[in-house]
Amino acid sequence: MSTLKKSDKKAALDFAAWSFNVTTSVGIIMVNKALMATYGFSFATTLTGLHFVTTTLMTIVFRWFGLSQPSHLPLADLVKFVIFSNLSIVGMNVSLMWNSVGFYQIAKLCMIPASCLLEVVFDHVHYSRDTKLSIMVVLIGVAVCTVTDVSVNARGLIAAVIAVWSTALQQYYVHFLQRKYSLNSFNLLGHTAPAQAGSLLLVGPFVDYLLTGKRVDHFSFSSLALFFLALSCFIAIGVNLSQFICIGRFSAVSFQVLGHMKTVLVLSLGFLFFGKEGLNLQVVLGMVLAVLGMIWYGNASAKPGGKERRSILPVRSASLKGSSEEKAGTEK
């Protein structure tokens, strides 16, 4: 009976974590679309730096109220994490700038195979046949509903490769650091958010000038632009926190696979609020196929042998058990 209650509690927490991530991620995409397309704030890298500033403030408040405990993360690991994360952010922005939308979407889909390879090589994870097939169904479904024109050039290909591997490494590293140093999501964000905020605010304006030809310090803010900027920074706290919670509870691969639900929702909301241009039978079939693939993946990876870690990474200390609730149960 107690085992059943524990599994029910874990299922409820898993659902809450995914709902939190999906809601905040879709929300910030819609807000950023209004901020950039309607009000002309096209400085994506600088905006991400501001997101980490507000996230840093959140971690300080949590620590002040005693909701986050002191923890340790070696400087070398912090530097590697920040490099992966910032390369991911800059790489994705540059890839979108230099590639067609279709090739950009294909590059994003390549993050799942890249994440799988990292887990197989470093964690000796074994995937069942059904789990592999369900991942393929998700990839095909998302490709069908998002990939249209596909053209590629040398510099765009380089940017896409950097974006894919740095994103896969960043998400793998979130899970790796939480397990290795017994860090929960709040503690890990407390270490990484300030470093990312400082580094992105330092390089962001230069990257944005390279991409847009505009200077962020010359941008003329209206009251509505400031409102959407503040709203974006507020929602970003939930996005950053929920990403760390989800990857900590599951894995980078599961985060990527089930995360494509956000792609389907963004497309659906875009058609609902911004017009039905581009909506056709192919898009609808692609979205349905992607959702079915996600459901299949959830069931396949949860079965015995669906996804097994064949080596256990030793944790640094058993004394820091604040993260145990986030990592309880079988990894999906």
Side-chain angles (χ1 to χ4, degrees):
M1 189 71 174
S2 66
T3 304
L4 184 61
K5 286 184 177 179
K6 283 184 179 180
S7 64
D8 289 344
K9 181 181 179 183
K10 183 183 183 301
L13 290 173
D14 289 347
F15 178 77
W18 277 120
S19 299
F20 184 28
N21 180 256
V22 169
T23 302
T24 54
S25 298
V26 172
I28 201 169
I29 289 171
M30 305 307 287
V31 169
N32 286 349
K33 185 171 183 178
L35 178 64
M36 294 181 177
T38 306
Y39 300 103
F41 190 85
S42 56
F43 310 101
T45 311
T46 304
L47 178 62
T48 307
L50 294 173
H51 289 168
F52 281 107
V53 169
T54 54
T55 303
T56 300
L57 294 175
M58 181 271 294
T59 62
I60 293 173
V61 170
F62 272 63
R63 189 171 300 170
W64 188 54
F65 280 106
L67 299 174
S68 177
Q69 303 302 318
S71 58
H72 173 69
L73 180 64
L75 180 61
D77 285 317
L78 175 61
V79 170
K80 282 188 283 187
F81 180 88
V82 170
I83 290 173
F84 294 149
S85 297
N86 290 358
L87 276 177
S88 169
I89 293 164
V90 174
M92 293 302 292
N93 289 338
V94 173
S95 177
L96 182 58
M97 184 75 177
W98 287 350
N99 291 311
S100 66
V101 174
F103 186 76
Y104 172 78
Q105 291 292 347
I106 289 176
K108 286 180 67 177
L109 292 176
C110 290
M111 291 175 192
I112 293 179
S115 296
C116 288
L117 183 60
L118 289 176
E119 289 191 355
V120 169
V121 172
F122 293 115
D123 291 344
H124 306 287
V125 169
H126 171 74
Y127 296 92
S128 69
R129 182 179 63 87
D130 281 358
T131 303
K132 294 174 185 175
L133 288 174
S134 66
I135 291 174
M136 288 183 61
V137 170
V138 173
L139 293 175
I140 293 170
V142 176
V144 166
C145 65
T146 60
V147 177
T148 51
D149 61 310
V150 178
S151 61
V152 63
N153 55 75
R155 66 176 187 173
L157 178 62
I158 293 171
V161 169
I162 292 173
V164 167
W165 281 106
S166 57
T167 301
L169 284 165
Q170 183 261 346
Q171 293 184 355
Y172 172 82
Y173 226 52
V174 169
H175 196 66
F176 172 82
L177 293 176
Q178 290 194 41
R179 288 186 293 119
K180 184 176 181 180
Y181 297 109
S182 296
L183 298 171
N184 62 28
S185 304
F186 297 105
N187 289 336
L188 187 55
L189 267 178
H191 292 291
T192 60
Q196 284 192 260
S199 56
L200 286 173
L201 287 180
L202 188 65
V203 303
F206 299 101
V207 173
D208 290 334
Y209 180 74
L210 174 69
L211 295 176
T212 66
K214 301 175 184 177
R215 290 176 51 174
V216 65
D217 57 318
H218 287 177
F219 183 77
S220 179
F221 283 97
S222 65
S223 56
L224 279 176
L226 279 172
F227 168 76
F228 278 101
L229 177 63
L231 183 60
S232 176
C233 289
F234 177 75
I235 298 175
I237 296 173
V239 173
N240 291 328
L241 179 59
S242 63
Q243 181 196 43
F244 279 33
I245 291 174
C246 286
I247 296 177
R249 293 188 67 84
F250 309 106
S251 70
V253 173
S254 294
F255 182 74
Q256 283 284 345
V257 172
L258 300 180
H260 278 298
M261 177 61 73
K262 292 176 283 190
T263 304
V264 174
L265 284 174
V266 168
L267 282 173
S268 302
L269 291 174
F271 292 135
L272 181 64
F273 292 112
F274 300 104
K276 293 181 173 57
E277 183 180 353
L279 179 62
N280 53 48
L281 182 61
Q282 175 184 323
V283 172
V284 173
L285 289 176
M287 289 192 290
V288 171
L289 189 62
V291 172
L292 291 175
M294 292 172 212
I295 296 171
W296 187 12
Y297 174 82
N299 291 328
S301 61
K303 290 179 179 178
K307 181 180 177 183
E308 293 180 334
R309 186 183 302 277
R310 293 184 171 177
S311 68
I312 303 299
L313 181 71
V315 296
R316 179 176 60 88
S317 170
S319 61
L320 295 175
K321 294 184 179 178
S323 61
S324 61
E325 185 178 349
E326 288 185 15
K327 296 189 282 291
T330 303
E331 184 178 341
K332 295 181 181 176

